[in-house]
Amino acid sequence: MPTPAPNDHVGRLVLFGAPGAGKGTQGRRLAESFGVPLIASGDLLRRAIQSGTPLGTTVRRFVDAGDLVPDELAVEIVLDRLGQPDANDGFILDGFPRTLGQARALDDRLAAEGRPLERVVELRVPTDQLVDRIAGRAGIDGRSDDRADVAQHRLQVYLTQTAALTEYYRAHGILASIDGVGTVDEVAHRIDDALRRLGPPDEAPATLS
Ligand code: AP5
Ligand code: MG
């Protein structure tokens, strides 16, 4: 069992990192151990595509090509999910935000609700290992965007459109960057240490009126 972070709750956390960095793997573990929802923008988008909703039809070509879907759609789908009651006492975001516009929209919403984002943990993994990990998953999960050429493009999109967000969160004093290379358990322990270093989340979890 991984050691829980202080205060038995994880608070409002973003797991940040490149495609293949391990956000989903570590996010599932954290969500289970702290009893909060894992809100993964990619999963929400893939679900919309699979269920053939109008949103799914609109976003499909972006996801299949490995491009970011437009900010307003990503923001809408994630903020809608964040408004559900199970996210009142904490959540783990995976894959969102990915642009400065998304980060600001998230901050604005959470500030308006009096429950700001508390911690951002970045998983750092060298590009060659990201490529290997995605290649290892291709064909297992059936993700259309795990094809080698699309995966390369996703990595490029991360570098050009998303990576610089670490500066935004560093400036807010809520970022911890950790080495994402190693076994899943080793990385999990580093995340737990990072959560301790960042300090406990708000003692009194906010409730929505
Ligand atoms: P999304 O679903 O978010 O995918 P991603 O960011 O590209 O990341 P992955 O899911 O590929 O990797 P991960 O970090 O979750 O790693 P995982 O744990 O799976 O986005 C998909 C698309 O949706 C985007 O391209 C875009 O089109 C759209 N989208 C999503 N969010 C958006 C947004 N906010 N705005 C606009 N568009 C958006 O691990 C990967 C593999 O490595 C697995 O096989 C795993 O088993 C393995 N692994 C994990 N940890 C380790 C380890 N420590 N050692 C070895 N292997 C490991
Ligand atoms: Mg993922």
Side-chain angles (χ1 to χ4, degrees), residues 17-26 28 40-43 45-46 59 62-71 74-75 78 94-99 102 123 129 133-134 136-137 140-141 143 145-146 154 157 180-185 187:
K23 304 181 296 293
T25 303
Q26 297 296 336
R28 282 187 288 277
S41 48
D43 289 348
L45 291 165
R46 282 185 288 277
V59 301
F62 295 98
V63 174
D64 282 353
D67 285 319
L68 297 186
V69 310
D71 273 359
V75 166
V78 172
D94 155 5
F96 184 95
R98 263 173 149 98
T99 65
Q102 292 180 17
L123 305 175
Q129 299 203 33
R133 287 187 188 182
I134 295 172
R137 189 180 59 189
I140 297 174
D141 280 12
R143 269 177 60 168
D145 60 349
D146 277 346
R154 284 160 56 208
V157 166
V181 178
T183 66
V184 170
D185 279 351
V187 176

Side-chain angles (χ1 to χ4, degrees), residues 106-125:
L106 177 66
D107 278 352
D108 288 351
R109 164 65 73 88
L110 293 177
E113 294 171 347
R115 50 168 194 160
L117 194 62
E118 292 164 302
R119 318 197 266 197
V120 178
V121 174
E122 179 197 13
L123 305 175
R124 298 180 69 94
V125 176

Side-chain angles (χ1 to χ4, degrees), residues 119-202:
R119 318 197 266 197
V120 178
V121 174
E122 179 197 13
L123 305 175
R124 298 180 69 94
V125 176
T127 303
D128 57 335
Q129 299 203 33
L130 296 170
V131 170
D132 286 351
R133 287 187 188 182
I134 295 172
R137 189 180 59 189
I140 297 174
D141 280 12
R143 269 177 60 168
S144 56
D145 60 349
D146 277 346
R147 245 177 44 198
D149 55 336
V150 181
Q152 277 292 350
H153 182 63
R154 284 160 56 208
L155 291 167
Q156 198 55 37
V157 166
Y158 175 78
L159 291 174
T160 55
Q161 300 186 49
T162 302
L165 264 186
T166 52
E167 295 310 321
Y168 178 82
Y169 287 121
R170 189 169 290 120
H172 284 66
I174 60 171
L175 176 77
S177 294
I178 65 154
D179 180 6
V181 178
T183 66
V184 170
D185 279 351
E186 283 166 349
V187 176
H189 279 107
R190 281 180 217 137
I191 293 175
D192 291 337
D193 286 344
L195 293 176
R196 277 188 211 96
R197 278 202 310 279
L198 285 169
D202 194 353

